[in-house]
Amino acid sequence: MTGRNAVVGMLALAVGAVLTACAPAPSPQFDLDDVATERYDRLESRVEVLLESHAAYLRSRWPDMQLPQHEVEAWLEPGQWGQVYPRCIYELTSVTDGARALDLATYSCESRFPPPSLAVNDPGPVEVAWITEYVRVGLPSCLRRSGVHAPPAPDGPFAILSGGSTPGWDPYAAAGGDIAERARLSALCPHPSSLLASIPPLPRGASGAEAP
């Protein structure tokens, strides 16, 4: 009986090991869509801060001024914004001149067409969590499936985010000077900076809208 129990126990362990090996890898906590959402939410927060500050200034200068409800009409790329924003102010001040009209037009046009300079990509908590998981799990696992072992990643994820480069860390070091192999690996298992650079700086759709 004891021997039979031992055999059953060994079989149970073996089955457990097989099931563990066949089990799917745990899903990452965040993906690039989550990173993009966080970036755009932070961008909208910067717009709110800008407009609140501007509104406070206008109320202090013109206490009876009625400010319009602000709603983003379009997220414009820098080239578009440089044309649309001045035209917006011109159209709103073409009938009524003076400092008051200019102040109100500036606020209105800022709310309709926020400055694209607000779209700075400083990493938020979701982005830091994504890149940490990707460089420690996602990218090494991908490379291993291609028969390549990546060197250990830097201790801090910000080393990877800084300037889109990764000083002192080359996940494709095993390719050496083989340009074709390096290109193959980077295409199969992209560098985190390449994936982050693929996120449009402004929300999709509205940023490419035709300039009014």
Side-chain angles (χ1 to χ4, degrees), residues 69-123:
Q69 292 291 326
H70 61 268
E71 182 176 353
V72 175
E73 186 174 319
W75 298 100
L76 300 173
E77 301 293 344
Q80 285 182 303
W81 186 84
Q83 298 176 12
V84 173
Y85 178 74
R87 188 164 76 238
C88 175
I89 292 179
Y90 172 77
E91 291 173 350
L92 293 179
T93 57
S94 60
V95 177
T96 305
D97 199 359
R100 180 188 177 101
L102 178 60
D103 280 351
L104 182 59
T106 301
Y107 177 87
S108 178
C109 294
E110 275 182 347
S111 66
R112 293 170 60 193
F113 311 109
S117 59
L118 295 176
V120 291
N121 291 334
D122 54 317

Side-chain angles (χ1 to χ4, degrees), residues 6-202:
V7 171
V8 171
M10 291 176 64
L11 286 174
L13 289 174
V15 171
V18 171
L19 292 176
T20 301
C22 295
S27 300
Q29 184 178 6
F30 299 108
D31 58 24
L32 284 178
D33 288 339
D34 297 315
V35 175
T37 297
E38 179 187 53
R39 285 187 176 185
Y40 301 152
D41 287 347
R42 287 158 66 86
L43 170 59
E44 291 177 352
S45 296
R46 294 185 195 107
V47 174
E48 291 294 328
V49 170
L50 172 67
L51 293 177
E52 287 174 6
S53 175
H54 198 167
Y57 162 75
L58 292 178
R59 292 191 183 100
S60 67
R61 188 177 186 189
W62 315 99
D64 61 336
M65 178 178 283
Q66 296 295 316
L67 298 179
Q69 292 291 326
H70 61 268
E71 182 176 353
V72 175
E73 186 174 319
W75 298 100
L76 300 173
E77 301 293 344
Q80 285 182 303
W81 186 84
Q83 298 176 12
V84 173
Y85 178 74
R87 188 164 76 238
C88 175
I89 292 179
Y90 172 77
E91 291 173 350
L92 293 179
T93 57
S94 60
V95 177
T96 305
D97 199 359
R100 180 188 177 101
L102 178 60
D103 280 351
L104 182 59
T106 301
Y107 177 87
S108 178
C109 294
E110 275 182 347
S111 66
R112 293 170 60 193
F113 311 109
S117 59
L118 295 176
V120 291
N121 291 334
D122 54 317
V126 170
E127 187 164 334
V128 171
W130 173 84
I131 196 168
T132 300
E133 190 277 337
Y134 184 74
V135 301
R136 304 210 180 284
V137 180
L139 182 55
S141 296
C142 179
L143 289 171
R144 279 197 301 272
R145 289 194 293 271
S146 297
V148 173
H149 290 275
D155 290 336
F158 290 101
I160 302 167
L161 293 171
S162 177
S165 62
T166 315
W169 181 64
D170 179 10
Y172 316 113
D178 190 333
I179 298 177
E181 176 64 5
R182 181 175 289 270
R184 184 186 74 86
L185 291 174
S186 60
L188 290 173
C189 309
H191 192 279
S193 61
S194 299
L195 293 175
L196 291 172
S198 71
I199 301 175
L202 297 171

